[in-house]
Amino acid sequence: MQARFRWPHGDIDRAVAAFEAARAEAEQHDGPGERAIALTLLALVTAFTDPLRADDELDLAHQYLAQLDQRATTFYAAVAALLRDAGTDHDLPDRATTLHTQSTAVGLPWLTPLIQTAVAFHHAVRSAHDDLTATINHLREATANGDFAYYVDIATAMGNLPQPAESAIQWLDDAHTVRERWRALVTARQAHLRAAQ
């Protein structure tokens, strides 16, 4: 899916459109598994920008997932819930720790960088700089083999921190644009939470 490549670049609008198209295609072909995956990933990307919509998408995704055996997709839904709640007081770091333990225990350690990125988003929204730095260090450890290393760049951008000196990430767009997109998601969530108070 094209959207899998767009959202790590902070291009959430195009990712949403692509996952919506994937969902529609799955519905046309009556593919319940594909539909559940598309819905879950749609919830994941909308969770960055629209927590209320993400909540609706997650409710629908859980309805489909309840009828299927899609362990990894179920964990993606849990990460989407973390992203939806980023910046709030919903015990997010503890939930992330539990999710990491569970996903690793069932043989899905490749979810660790995504989980840590959700935690980084939470800390960046809360302007919890020490916690964000610690999370970025965890991300560096989790991506030391080079897999998913772009999550470190995303997390530093969220926190408006310097781009990692060791970064060799090649973005579809220029790095400055990508970093601005990720930082803008953080400031938009901060504004959303202030307006909700």
Side-chain angles (χ1 to χ4, degrees):
M1 280 184 220
Q2 174 196 14
R4 289 184 194 262
F5 301 105
R6 293 308 314 184
W7 84 259
H9 295 79
D11 196 350
I12 302 299
D13 291 342
R14 288 176 70 182
V16 167
F19 283 131
E20 287 173 339
R23 177 183 61 185
E25 184 177 339
E27 289 171 351
Q28 287 176 349
H29 298 295
D30 194 27
E34 291 176 39
R35 180 173 46 204
I37 292 168
L39 273 167
T40 301
L41 295 176
L42 180 59
L44 185 109
V45 296
T46 58
F48 282 107
T49 57
D50 189 344
L52 293 176
R53 178 177 177 187
D55 205 37
D56 292 341
E57 301 293 357
L58 275 172
D59 284 346
L60 194 53
H62 283 303
Q63 290 176 33
Y64 289 115
L65 286 169
Q67 304 166 37
L68 302 167
D69 182 19
Q70 290 193 358
R71 183 179 295 165
T73 308
T74 301
F75 278 105
Y76 271 118
V79 176
L82 293 178
L83 292 166
R84 175 199 62 201
D85 296 339
T88 69
D89 293 320
H90 294 299
D91 300 321
L92 194 142
D94 290 339
R95 289 165 51 202
T97 299
T98 300
L99 187 59
H100 170 257
T101 301
Q102 292 171 342
S103 62
T104 302
V106 298
L108 300 173
W110 48 267
L111 281 169
T112 298
L114 181 59
I115 294 167
Q116 289 296 321
T117 301
V119 176
F121 186 50
H122 173 71
H123 291 320
V125 170
R126 293 175 69 91
S127 298
H129 304 295
D130 291 345
D131 292 332
L132 177 59
T133 298
T135 301
I136 290 170
N137 289 335
H138 293 312
L139 264 173
R140 279 197 173 92
E141 293 170 13
T143 61
N145 65 357
D147 291 343
F148 307 107
Y150 55 88
Y151 284 126
V152 176
D153 289 57
I154 289 170
T156 57
M158 287 177 178
N160 202 27
L161 299 171
Q163 180 175 325
E166 72 277 10
S167 178
I169 305 303
Q170 297 290 313
W171 300 103
L172 295 175
D173 304 301
D174 66 276
H176 178 72
T177 298
V178 173
R179 289 180 59 79
E180 283 191 333
R181 287 178 185 149
W182 283 112
R183 183 60 188 162
L185 292 173
V186 170
T187 57
R189 177 62 61 89
Q190 290 170 332
H192 169 78
L193 292 171
R194 280 194 301 272
Q197 289 178 344

